[in-house]
């Protein structure tokens, strides 16, 4: 079988009105590029008759149609698509025509510069201010906290080398953090400003609740990318902080007591001290238990030993190995 170059992955939930124009535009661009491609449409439990419309598409486009039995969310839809990609390069875009397929060649060009994931940046975003402003703050915050410096994490329009989508697993609503997850796996991530169009048909599937959820997802991502293999480092630090503060407070009260300042048992500070001490110990035990779960993961029966999770690697062919000496090697000689 001939190797396929491109997989275009499109999650769609009730986007029937947008699909004909979207497919036309994608096909036009892909024909222009002139290499083998497939379009993977993931119908995320649409109830607007998307399936009936798609029937005609099979004859006209190189289509893989994946239907999720019920609406499962954008992350699940993308993951379902990723599970079926055959192309060397994966292109994702939203189904609502807000992303312009005409930008694909530019994104690909950027990918060729040596990146594994190129994300789009909706520099002039055509959405209501109620969405763009919180989104700005969100992106700024996530960039600062994760060190992955992008203006726009959650743009649906991205191009990837297939290895990236094979290595990240999306669940819940983690699609908002794909660049962070990819960077954590050691992939090179970049972004390119693109044009963005207002939604023509249908309505946005995400409301204001996205920011609260986004914050929780941020905590999840922050935790798993940093502490998944060493939870005690997080819980232990919190525990130390809290119990040490509690200890100091109680020490202070004890000294007072010996100096004859009594009673101390009815002072608010006394309760605060006890609270901090107990909470601190709880942080510690949470950390220990989490550490046990992690080590249990790594040392159950040998055959389940998930080596992959400890490091990220890929096997290089000899021509892929750079022949320049690394500074470290030189020093050894
Ligand atoms: N989407 C999906 N499942 C969902 C919600 C959204 O597949 O449960 C798709 C939707 O059809 C669209 C993309 O995800 O192709 C982005 O959704 P939307 O345009 O509503 O998000 P916004 O542009 O408002 O961020
Ligand atoms: Mg949209």
């Amino acid at each position: 079988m001939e190797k396929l170059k491109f997989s275009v992955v499109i999650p769609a939930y009730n986007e029937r009105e947008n699909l004909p124009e979207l497919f036309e535009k994608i096909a036009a661009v892909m024909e222009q590029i002139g290499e083998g491609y497939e379009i993977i449409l993931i119908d995320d439990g649409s109830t607007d008759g998307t399936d009936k419309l798609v029937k005609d598409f099979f004859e006209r486009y190189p289509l893989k149609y994946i239907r999720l039995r019920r609406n499962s969310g954008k992350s699940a839809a993308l993951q379902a698509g990723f599970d079926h990609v055959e192309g060397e390069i994966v292109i994702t875009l939203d189904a609502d025509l807000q992303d312009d397929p005409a930008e694909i060649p530019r994104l690909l060009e950027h990918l060729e510069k040596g990146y594994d994931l190129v994300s789009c940046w909706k520099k002039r975003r055509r959405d209501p201010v109620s969405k763009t402003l919180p989104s700005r703050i969100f992106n700024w915050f996530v960039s600062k906290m994760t060190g992955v410096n992008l203006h726009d994490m959650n743009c649906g329009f991205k191009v990837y080398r297939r290895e990236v989508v094979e290595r990240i697993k999306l669940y819940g609503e983690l699609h908002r953090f794909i660049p962070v997850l990819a960077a954590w796996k050691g992939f090179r991530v970049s972004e390119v400003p693109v044009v963005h169009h207002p939604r023509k048909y249908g309505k946005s599937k995400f409301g204001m609740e996205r920011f609260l959820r986004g914050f929780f997802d941020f905590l999840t991502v922050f935790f798993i990318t940093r502490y998944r293999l060493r939870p005690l480092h997080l819980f232990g630090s919190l525990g130390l902080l809290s119990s040490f503060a509690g200890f100091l407070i109680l020490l202070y009260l004890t000294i007072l007591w010996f100096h004859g300042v009594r009673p101390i048992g009815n002072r608010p500070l006394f309760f605060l001290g006890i609270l901090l001490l107990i909470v601190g110990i709880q942080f510690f035990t949470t950390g220990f238990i989490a550490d046990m779960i992690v080590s249990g993961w790594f040392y159950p029966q040998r055959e389940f030993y998930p080596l992959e999770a400890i490091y990220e690697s890929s096997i290089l062919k000899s021509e892929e190995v750079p022949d320049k000496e690394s500074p470290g090697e030189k020093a050894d000689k």
Side-chain angles (χ1 to χ4, degrees), residues 21-69:
E21 194 178 331
L22 178 73
F23 270 68
E24 236 166 74
K25 282 188 168 166
I26 290 174
V29 176
M30 298 315 291
E31 299 295 331
Q32 208 184 349
I33 295 175
E35 297 201 60
Y37 72 100
E38 60 177 356
I39 304 181
I40 305 180
L41 179 70
I42 306 95
D43 176 351
D44 186 10
S46 299
T47 50
D48 65 347
T50 295
D51 42 357
K52 290 190 192 73
L53 175 86
V54 165
K55 218 165 159 42
D56 290 345
F57 285 10
F58 280 99
E59 288 153 32
R60 277 188 278 161
Y61 307 106
L63 174 68
K64 261 186 208 159
Y65 178 56
I66 302 171
R67 199 184 144 83
L68 307 189
R69 218 158 276 128

Side-chain angles (χ1 to χ4, degrees), residues 21 25 33 35 76 82 120 152 182 211 215 225-226 229 236 258 264 297 311:
E21 194 178 331
K25 282 188 168 166
I33 295 175
E35 297 201 60
F82 291 166
C120 76
D152 196 353
F211 295 106
F215 177 67
T225 55
R226 277 173 197 227
L229 301 181
F258 278 113
I264 56 167
W297 247 69
Y311 61 84

Side-chain angles (χ1 to χ4, degrees), residues 94-216:
D94 287 353
D96 55 7
L97 288 171
Q98 290 196 265
D99 305 323
D100 196 333
E103 301 269 25
I104 290 174
R106 229 157 47 82
L107 291 178
L108 292 175
E109 231 170 70
H110 203 72
L111 192 76
E112 288 308 315
K113 287 183 188 155
Y115 294 104
D116 300 305
L117 163 58
V118 176
S119 187
C120 76
W121 168 23
K122 294 164 289 195
K123 201 167 180 182
R124 272 200 64 225
R125 188 168 169 186
R126 310 294 291 270
D127 277 318
V129 178
S130 60
K131 222 163 154 176
T132 52
L133 184 70
S135 156
R136 267 203 141 108
I137 297 170
F138 180 80
N139 279 305
W140 176 82
F141 177 72
V142 175
S143 282
K144 284 278 164 291
M145 294 300 290
T146 59
V148 179
N149 287 318
L150 299 189
H151 294 87
D152 196 353
M153 295 279 162
N154 177 25
C155 180
F157 198 8
K158 292 182 167 62
V159 299
Y160 313 70
R161 291 183 198 288
R162 192 177 61 213
E163 205 186 353
V164 180
V165 306
E166 283 171 349
R167 305 293 310 193
I168 53 180
K169 291 281 168 249
L170 299 178
Y171 61 90
E173 295 190 4
L174 293 192
H175 62 270
R176 292 199 186 96
F177 297 93
I178 291 174
V180 180
L181 295 172
W184 169 52
K185 295 261 174 185
F187 291 112
R188 286 153 299 178
V189 176
S190 178
E191 74 178 353
V192 169
V194 294
V195 293
H196 188 238
H197 302 291
R199 215 180 220 283
K200 246 199 243 169
Y201 309 105
K203 54 178 193 292
S204 171
K205 311 299 181 292
F206 300 101
M208 289 307 283
E209 81 288 347
R210 71 163 73 194
F211 295 106
L212 190 60
R213 295 199 198 160
F215 177 67
F216 290 134

Side-chain angles (χ1 to χ4, degrees), residues 252-253 256 261 263-272:
Y252 166 70
L253 290 176
L256 287 188
V261 187
I264 56 167
N266 56 354
R267 297 177 60 158
L269 201 58
F270 177 65
F271 292 99
L272 181 65

